[in-house]
Amino acid sequence: MKKIIIINGPNLNLLGVREKNIYGSQDFLSFFEELKQRYLAVDLSYFQSNHEGEIIDKLHEIGFSYDGVVLNAGAYTHTSVAIGDAIAGITTPVVEVHISNVHKREAFRHHSYLAPNCVGVICGFGLNSYKLGIDSFL
Ligand code: CA2
């Protein structure tokens, strides 16, 4: 059974609570329950943190044994050389995902420090971006 983890970064714990026009109205934990039902043949886990170092620690912890990481690092995508380095330092492949189409938004969201070290980037499909990320590993 493939082991895949979804890692969400800062503020994504607020999904479904505010900014519903951009990020939709579903909270992530209920979406994750749907994902577990959809991918019964996958060992799927979930981690969220608002702290850069905790995201790096999690990547180190799982990054030599898991089959894939679906990573939405939130705003750290656009700021964190350290998370980019952590992705480069592990052997598990990482797919960068975003709920919104970051290229339709402010210029500062157009650059990613993570993408050069990821196998691919998926953005703009709402929560379906996570499904596409998982599918990419199957
Ligand atoms: O579109 C995405 O998935 C983003 O990674 C979301 C980040 C943003 O900084 C990236 O540029 C694109 C922000 C997540 C904030 O999520 C919230 C959800 C509800 C209410 C407030 C924030």
Side-chain angles (χ1 to χ4, degrees):
M1 196 183 251
K2 286 202 168 166
K3 283 171 82 76
I4 296 175
I5 185 168
I6 296 172
I7 300 180
N8 272 345
N11 298 307
L12 287 158
N13 53 311
L14 297 178
L15 276 183
V17 179
R18 287 187 56 247
E19 304 220 63
K20 296 182 188 179
N21 54 324
I22 306 175
Y23 302 116
S25 56
Q26 190 169 12
D27 68 279
F28 200 86
L29 286 177
S30 73
F31 177 64
F32 184 64
E33 290 307 312
E34 281 178 26
L35 285 180
K36 282 195 294 189
Q37 290 308 309
R38 182 183 175 96
Y39 296 102
L40 290 171
V42 176
D43 180 350
L44 197 58
S45 51
Y46 173 56
F47 176 78
Q48 189 273 333
S49 176
N50 294 318
H51 304 274
E52 188 174 19
E54 286 184 1
I55 294 168
I56 293 167
D57 286 345
K58 181 55 77 173
L59 288 167
H60 293 174
E61 181 189 319
I62 57 83
F64 299 90
S65 55
Y66 277 53
D67 298 295
V69 178
V70 176
L71 174 63
N72 185 349
Y76 285 145
T77 306
H78 320 299
T79 64
S80 181
V81 174
I83 295 177
D85 286 349
I87 295 168
I90 62 176
T91 54
T92 298
V94 178
V95 168
E96 176 182 326
V97 303
H98 299 284
I99 299 165
S100 64
N101 180 351
V102 287
H103 299 289
K104 267 189 185 172
R105 302 181 64 192
E106 304 96 322
F108 68 84
R109 296 186 203 274
H110 299 177
H111 179 260
S112 168
Y113 282 104
L114 318 186
N117 298 325
C118 291
V119 287
V121 179
I122 297 163
C123 77
F125 296 97
L127 290 176
N128 282 328
S129 293
Y130 292 90
K131 291 181 188 161
L132 296 168
I134 294 167
D135 289 346
S136 75
F137 290 120
L138 303 180

